[in-house]
Short mmCIF file of all heavy atoms in Angstrom, two decimals:
data_model
loop_
_atom_site.label_atom_id
_atom_site.label_comp_id
_atom_site.label_asym_id
_atom_site.label_seq_id
_atom_site.Cartn_x
_atom_site.Cartn_y
_atom_site.Cartn_z
N ASP O 28 11.89 -16.74 36.57
CA ASP O 28 12.28 -18.00 35.95
C ASP O 28 12.08 -18.01 34.44
O ASP O 28 12.54 -18.93 33.76
CB ASP O 28 11.47 -19.17 36.53
CG ASP O 28 11.75 -19.42 37.99
OD1 ASP O 28 12.86 -19.07 38.45
OD2 ASP O 28 10.87 -19.97 38.68
N VAL O 29 11.35 -17.03 33.90
CA VAL O 29 10.94 -17.08 32.49
C VAL O 29 11.35 -15.81 31.75
O VAL O 29 11.70 -14.80 32.37
CB VAL O 29 9.41 -17.27 32.35
CG1 VAL O 29 8.96 -18.52 33.08
CG2 VAL O 29 8.67 -16.04 32.86
N VAL O 30 11.28 -15.90 30.43
CA VAL O 30 11.39 -14.70 29.60
C VAL O 30 10.09 -14.56 28.81
O VAL O 30 9.42 -15.55 28.50
CB VAL O 30 12.58 -14.76 28.62
CG1 VAL O 30 13.89 -14.74 29.37
CG2 VAL O 30 12.50 -15.98 27.72
N VAL O 31 9.71 -13.33 28.52
CA VAL O 31 8.50 -13.04 27.77
C VAL O 31 8.88 -12.67 26.34
O VAL O 31 9.70 -11.77 26.12
CB VAL O 31 7.70 -11.90 28.43
CG1 VAL O 31 6.51 -11.50 27.58
CG2 VAL O 31 7.23 -12.33 29.82
N VAL O 32 8.30 -13.39 25.39
CA VAL O 32 8.64 -13.21 23.97
C VAL O 32 7.44 -12.61 23.24
O VAL O 32 6.39 -13.23 23.15
CB VAL O 32 9.01 -14.56 23.32
CG1 VAL O 32 9.29 -14.38 21.83
CG2 VAL O 32 10.20 -15.19 24.03
N PRO O 33 7.56 -11.39 22.70
CA PRO O 33 6.45 -10.81 21.94
C PRO O 33 6.34 -11.44 20.56
O PRO O 33 7.36 -11.76 19.92
CB PRO O 33 6.83 -9.33 21.84
CG PRO O 33 8.33 -9.31 21.94
CD PRO O 33 8.70 -10.47 22.83
N VAL O 34 5.11 -11.64 20.09
CA VAL O 34 4.89 -12.03 18.70
C VAL O 34 5.05 -10.77 17.86
O VAL O 34 4.31 -9.80 18.05
CB VAL O 34 3.48 -12.63 18.50
CG1 VAL O 34 3.21 -12.87 17.02
CG2 VAL O 34 3.36 -13.93 19.27
N PRO O 35 6.01 -10.74 16.93
CA PRO O 35 6.25 -9.50 16.17
C PRO O 35 5.16 -9.25 15.14
O PRO O 35 4.56 -10.18 14.60
CB PRO O 35 7.60 -9.78 15.49
CG PRO O 35 7.64 -11.27 15.34
CD PRO O 35 6.94 -11.83 16.55
N SER O 36 4.93 -7.98 14.87
CA SER O 36 4.01 -7.59 13.80
C SER O 36 4.67 -7.80 12.44
O SER O 36 5.91 -7.92 12.35
CB SER O 36 3.61 -6.12 13.94
OG SER O 36 2.89 -5.90 15.13
N ARG O 37 3.85 -7.82 11.40
CA ARG O 37 4.41 -7.84 10.05
C ARG O 37 5.25 -6.59 9.83
O ARG O 37 4.92 -5.51 10.33
CB ARG O 37 3.28 -7.87 9.01
CG ARG O 37 2.43 -9.11 9.02
CD ARG O 37 1.25 -8.91 8.08
NE ARG O 37 0.34 -10.04 8.11
CZ ARG O 37 0.42 -11.08 7.30
NH1 ARG O 37 1.37 -11.14 6.39
NH2 ARG O 37 -0.45 -12.08 7.38
N ARG O 38 6.30 -6.74 9.05
CA ARG O 38 7.17 -5.59 8.77
C ARG O 38 6.40 -4.47 8.07
O ARG O 38 6.63 -3.29 8.33
CB ARG O 38 8.36 -6.05 7.94
CG ARG O 38 9.40 -6.84 8.73
CD ARG O 38 10.47 -7.43 7.85
NE ARG O 38 9.95 -8.49 6.98
CZ ARG O 38 10.68 -9.15 6.10
NH1 ARG O 38 11.95 -8.86 5.96
NH2 ARG O 38 10.13 -10.10 5.36
N SER O 39 5.46 -4.85 7.20
CA SER O 39 4.67 -3.82 6.51
C SER O 39 3.79 -3.05 7.49
O SER O 39 3.60 -1.84 7.36
CB SER O 39 3.80 -4.46 5.42
OG SER O 39 2.94 -5.45 5.97
N SER O 40 3.26 -3.75 8.51
CA SER O 40 2.43 -3.08 9.52
C SER O 40 3.26 -2.14 10.38
O SER O 40 2.81 -1.05 10.74
CB SER O 40 1.74 -4.13 10.40
OG SER O 40 0.86 -4.93 9.65
N ILE O 41 4.48 -2.57 10.71
CA ILE O 41 5.36 -1.71 11.52
C ILE O 41 5.72 -0.44 10.75
O ILE O 41 5.73 0.66 11.30
CB ILE O 41 6.63 -2.47 11.93
CG1 ILE O 41 6.26 -3.63 12.88
CG2 ILE O 41 7.62 -1.53 12.61
CD1 ILE O 41 7.43 -4.53 13.22
N ARG O 42 6.00 -0.60 9.46
CA ARG O 42 6.30 0.59 8.64
C ARG O 42 5.10 1.53 8.59
O ARG O 42 5.26 2.75 8.67
CB ARG O 42 6.70 0.16 7.23
CG ARG O 42 8.09 -0.46 7.12
CD ARG O 42 8.54 -0.55 5.67
NE ARG O 42 7.67 -1.42 4.88
CZ ARG O 42 7.88 -2.72 4.70
NH1 ARG O 42 8.93 -3.30 5.27
NH2 ARG O 42 7.06 -3.43 3.95
N LYS O 43 3.92 0.98 8.46
CA LYS O 43 2.72 1.80 8.35
C LYS O 43 2.41 2.52 9.66
O LYS O 43 2.09 3.71 9.67
CB LYS O 43 1.53 0.92 7.95
CG LYS O 43 0.23 1.67 7.78
CD LYS O 43 -0.89 0.72 7.35
CE LYS O 43 -2.23 1.46 7.21
NZ LYS O 43 -3.32 0.52 6.82
N ARG O 44 2.52 1.79 10.77
CA ARG O 44 2.18 2.36 12.08
C ARG O 44 3.32 3.17 12.67
O ARG O 44 3.10 4.08 13.46
CB ARG O 44 1.82 1.25 13.06
CG ARG O 44 0.52 0.53 12.74
CD ARG O 44 0.29 -0.56 13.77
NE ARG O 44 -1.00 -1.21 13.57
CZ ARG O 44 -1.19 -2.52 13.56
NH1 ARG O 44 -0.16 -3.32 13.77
NH2 ARG O 44 -2.38 -3.03 13.37
N GLY O 45 4.55 2.75 12.35
CA GLY O 45 5.71 3.40 12.94
C GLY O 45 6.16 2.77 14.24
O GLY O 45 7.09 3.25 14.88
N PHE O 46 5.52 1.68 14.65
CA PHE O 46 5.90 0.99 15.87
C PHE O 46 5.29 -0.41 15.85
O PHE O 46 4.40 -0.71 15.06
CB PHE O 46 5.44 1.76 17.11
CG PHE O 46 3.95 1.72 17.36
CD1 PHE O 46 3.43 1.01 18.44
CD2 PHE O 46 3.06 2.38 16.52
CE1 PHE O 46 2.07 0.97 18.67
CE2 PHE O 46 1.69 2.35 16.76
CZ PHE O 46 1.19 1.64 17.83
N ASP O 47 5.79 -1.27 16.74
CA ASP O 47 5.27 -2.62 16.91
C ASP O 47 4.42 -2.62 18.18
O ASP O 47 4.95 -2.48 19.28
CB ASP O 47 6.43 -3.62 17.04
CG ASP O 47 5.96 -5.06 17.09
OD1 ASP O 47 4.90 -5.33 17.68
OD2 ASP O 47 6.66 -5.93 16.54
N PRO O 48 3.09 -2.77 18.08
CA PRO O 48 2.22 -2.61 19.24
C PRO O 48 2.53 -3.55 20.41
O PRO O 48 2.54 -3.11 21.56
CB PRO O 48 0.82 -2.90 18.67
CG PRO O 48 0.93 -2.60 17.22
CD PRO O 48 2.32 -2.99 16.83
N VAL O 49 2.76 -4.83 20.13
CA VAL O 49 3.00 -5.78 21.22
C VAL O 49 4.33 -5.48 21.91
O VAL O 49 4.40 -5.43 23.14
CB VAL O 49 2.98 -7.23 20.70
CG1 VAL O 49 3.27 -8.20 21.84
CG2 VAL O 49 1.63 -7.55 20.07
N ALA O 50 5.37 -5.29 21.13
CA ALA O 50 6.69 -5.00 21.71
C ALA O 50 6.66 -3.70 22.51
O ALA O 50 7.25 -3.62 23.60
CB ALA O 50 7.74 -4.92 20.60
N LYS O 51 5.97 -2.70 21.99
CA LYS O 51 5.90 -1.40 22.69
C LYS O 51 5.15 -1.53 24.01
O LYS O 51 5.57 -0.99 25.03
CB LYS O 51 5.21 -0.37 21.79
CG LYS O 51 5.18 1.05 22.36
CD LYS O 51 4.49 1.99 21.39
CE LYS O 51 4.42 3.41 21.91
NZ LYS O 51 5.76 4.04 21.94
N LEU O 52 4.03 -2.26 23.98
CA LEU O 52 3.24 -2.43 25.20
C LEU O 52 4.01 -3.22 26.25
O LEU O 52 4.03 -2.86 27.43
CB LEU O 52 1.92 -3.14 24.87
CG LEU O 52 0.94 -3.34 26.03
CD1 LEU O 52 0.53 -2.00 26.62
CD2 LEU O 52 -0.28 -4.11 25.55
N LEU O 53 4.68 -4.30 25.83
CA LEU O 53 5.45 -5.09 26.77
C LEU O 53 6.63 -4.30 27.33
O LEU O 53 6.95 -4.40 28.51
CB LEU O 53 5.96 -6.36 26.09
CG LEU O 53 4.98 -7.52 26.03
CD1 LEU O 53 5.53 -8.63 25.14
CD2 LEU O 53 4.67 -8.06 27.42
N ALA O 54 7.27 -3.51 26.48
CA ALA O 54 8.41 -2.71 26.94
C ALA O 54 7.97 -1.70 27.99
O ALA O 54 8.64 -1.50 29.00
CB ALA O 54 9.07 -2.00 25.77
N ALA O 55 6.81 -1.08 27.76
CA ALA O 55 6.30 -0.09 28.71
C ALA O 55 5.88 -0.77 30.01
O ALA O 55 6.13 -0.26 31.11
CB ALA O 55 5.12 0.65 28.11
N THR O 56 5.25 -1.93 29.90
CA THR O 56 4.84 -2.68 31.09
C THR O 56 6.06 -3.15 31.86
O THR O 56 6.12 -3.06 33.09
CB THR O 56 3.99 -3.91 30.68
OG1 THR O 56 2.88 -3.47 29.91
CG2 THR O 56 3.49 -4.66 31.90
N HIS O 57 7.05 -3.65 31.12
CA HIS O 57 8.27 -4.17 31.74
C HIS O 57 9.06 -3.07 32.44
O HIS O 57 9.70 -3.31 33.46
CB HIS O 57 9.13 -4.83 30.67
CG HIS O 57 10.43 -5.37 31.17
ND1 HIS O 57 10.51 -6.39 32.08
CD2 HIS O 57 11.71 -5.01 30.91
CE1 HIS O 57 11.77 -6.66 32.34
NE2 HIS O 57 12.53 -5.85 31.65
N SER O 58 9.01 -1.85 31.90
CA SER O 58 9.81 -0.77 32.48
C SER O 58 9.38 -0.43 33.89
O SER O 58 10.16 0.08 34.68
CB SER O 58 9.70 0.49 31.59
OG SER O 58 8.40 1.03 31.63
N GLY O 59 8.13 -0.75 34.23
CA GLY O 59 7.67 -0.50 35.59
C GLY O 59 7.58 -1.77 36.42
O GLY O 59 7.04 -1.79 37.50
N ASP O 60 8.08 -2.89 35.87
CA ASP O 60 7.93 -4.17 36.55
C ASP O 60 9.14 -5.04 36.20
O ASP O 60 9.25 -5.52 35.08
CB ASP O 60 6.64 -4.84 36.07
CG ASP O 60 6.37 -6.17 36.77
OD1 ASP O 60 7.25 -6.60 37.56
OD2 ASP O 60 5.32 -6.76 36.53
N ASP O 61 10.03 -5.20 37.14
CA ASP O 61 11.27 -5.91 36.85
C ASP O 61 11.17 -7.41 37.17
O ASP O 61 12.17 -8.09 37.36
CB ASP O 61 12.44 -5.29 37.62
CG ASP O 61 12.22 -5.37 39.14
OD1 ASP O 61 11.16 -5.86 39.57
OD2 ASP O 61 13.11 -4.92 39.88
N THR O 62 9.95 -7.95 37.21
CA THR O 62 9.79 -9.34 37.61
C THR O 62 9.91 -10.32 36.45
O THR O 62 9.92 -11.52 36.66
CB THR O 62 8.42 -9.55 38.29
OG1 THR O 62 7.38 -9.14 37.40
CG2 THR O 62 8.34 -8.76 39.57
N PHE O 63 9.94 -9.85 35.22
CA PHE O 63 10.18 -10.76 34.10
C PHE O 63 11.13 -10.13 33.10
O PHE O 63 11.29 -8.92 33.07
CB PHE O 63 8.86 -11.16 33.41
CG PHE O 63 8.14 -10.02 32.75
CD1 PHE O 63 8.49 -9.60 31.48
CD2 PHE O 63 7.09 -9.37 33.39
CE1 PHE O 63 7.82 -8.55 30.86
CE2 PHE O 63 6.42 -8.33 32.78
CZ PHE O 63 6.78 -7.92 31.51
N ARG O 64 11.74 -10.98 32.29
CA ARG O 64 12.68 -10.49 31.27
C ARG O 64 11.99 -10.49 29.92
O ARG O 64 11.37 -11.47 29.51
CB ARG O 64 13.91 -11.39 31.23
CG ARG O 64 14.78 -11.35 32.46
CD ARG O 64 15.90 -12.37 32.35
NE ARG O 64 16.68 -12.16 31.13
CZ ARG O 64 17.48 -13.09 30.61
NH1 ARG O 64 17.58 -14.27 31.18
NH2 ARG O 64 18.17 -12.83 29.51
N LEU O 65 12.12 -9.40 29.21
CA LEU O 65 11.56 -9.27 27.87
C LEU O 65 12.63 -9.61 26.85
O LEU O 65 13.74 -9.08 26.90
CB LEU O 65 11.06 -7.83 27.66
CG LEU O 65 10.52 -7.48 26.28
CD1 LEU O 65 9.31 -8.33 25.93
CD2 LEU O 65 10.16 -5.99 26.23
N GLN O 66 12.32 -10.51 25.90
CA GLN O 66 13.30 -10.94 24.92
C GLN O 66 12.64 -11.04 23.54
O GLN O 66 11.88 -11.97 23.29
CB GLN O 66 13.87 -12.30 25.32
CG GLN O 66 15.08 -12.73 24.52
CD GLN O 66 16.33 -12.00 24.94
OE1 GLN O 66 16.73 -12.04 26.09
NE2 GLN O 66 16.96 -11.32 24.00
N PRO O 67 12.92 -10.11 22.62
CA PRO O 67 12.34 -10.16 21.27
C PRO O 67 13.06 -11.16 20.38
O PRO O 67 13.86 -10.80 19.52
CB PRO O 67 12.51 -8.73 20.78
CG PRO O 67 13.73 -8.23 21.49
CD PRO O 67 13.73 -8.90 22.84
N VAL O 68 12.77 -12.43 20.58
CA VAL O 68 13.48 -13.52 19.91
C VAL O 68 13.03 -13.70 18.46
O VAL O 68 13.84 -14.00 17.58
CB VAL O 68 13.26 -14.84 20.69
CG1 VAL O 68 13.80 -16.03 19.91
CG2 VAL O 68 13.93 -14.76 22.06
N LEU O 69 11.72 -13.51 18.21
CA LEU O 69 11.16 -13.86 16.91
C LEU O 69 11.24 -12.72 15.89
O LEU O 69 11.18 -11.54 16.27
CB LEU O 69 9.70 -14.27 17.07
CG LEU O 69 9.45 -15.55 17.88
CD1 LEU O 69 7.96 -15.71 18.15
CD2 LEU O 69 10.00 -16.76 17.15
N ARG O 70 11.32 -13.10 14.63
CA ARG O 70 11.27 -12.15 13.51
C ARG O 70 10.18 -12.60 12.54
O ARG O 70 10.10 -13.79 12.20
CB ARG O 70 12.62 -12.09 12.81
CG ARG O 70 12.64 -11.20 11.56
CD ARG O 70 14.05 -11.07 11.02
NE ARG O 70 14.65 -12.37 10.77
CZ ARG O 70 15.94 -12.57 10.58
NH1 ARG O 70 16.79 -11.55 10.66
NH2 ARG O 70 16.42 -13.78 10.33
N ASP O 71 9.36 -11.66 12.13
CA ASP O 71 8.29 -11.96 11.17
C ASP O 71 8.85 -11.96 9.75
O ASP O 71 9.48 -10.99 9.33
CB ASP O 71 7.18 -10.91 11.30
CG ASP O 71 5.94 -11.28 10.53
OD1 ASP O 71 6.03 -11.39 9.29
OD2 ASP O 71 4.87 -11.46 11.14
#
């Protein structure tokens, strides 16, 4: 019934790390669990 929206990291943090931790973790979790929809709606 719901979608899961990750809070995005700052763009400077993503450039430094090379990835967005919350989005990456949710994507990996979602890939093994089709019970919710992941939707990256927000932009920092």
